[in-house]
Amino acid sequence: MSGGEAQRVALTRLSLQDPLIVLADEPTGALDNKNKQLVLNSLRKMADKGKIVIVATHDDAVKDFADERLNISDYN
């Protein structure tokens, strides 16, 4: 199973469980552009249905899908 397929299966299982809060750590980390868009669209749909979706990522493309952003930097 490819990374994209595994991510889509995980999102399908998650949507069947119907959680109030979704925590996603680097959900697009190792995905190609097509699968990245599928994952982000799925997370966006969950948020649009009233779910709280929290994503931790280094991927700048995710910010276009977010309602709010919190940037955390490493200060020395």
Side-chain angles (χ1 to χ4, degrees):
M1 182 180 301
S2 72
E5 290 169 331
Q7 292 286 60
R8 290 195 307 271
V9 168
L11 285 169
T12 300
R13 284 187 5 230
L14 183 65
S15 63
L16 291 173
Q17 294 172 358
D18 196 31
L20 176 61
I21 301 173
V22 176
L23 301 174
D25 183 16
E26 295 288 353
T28 60
L31 300 178
D32 61 24
N33 285 331
K34 177 184 174 188
N35 284 305
K36 180 188 297 190
Q37 291 301 312
L38 289 170
V39 167
L40 292 175
N41 287 333
S42 293
L43 292 171
R44 180 74 252 172
K45 286 178 187 176
M46 288 180 199
D48 290 343
K49 290 180 181 179
K51 308 301 178 192
I52 298 168
V53 179
I54 300 170
V55 178
T57 187
H58 293 94
D59 187 345
D60 286 337
V62 175
K63 68 183 179 186
D64 296 332
F65 285 80
D67 293 325
E68 296 181 37
R69 286 176 270 160
L70 174 65
N71 296 317
I72 300 173
S73 298
D74 184 17
Y75 292 101
N76 292 326

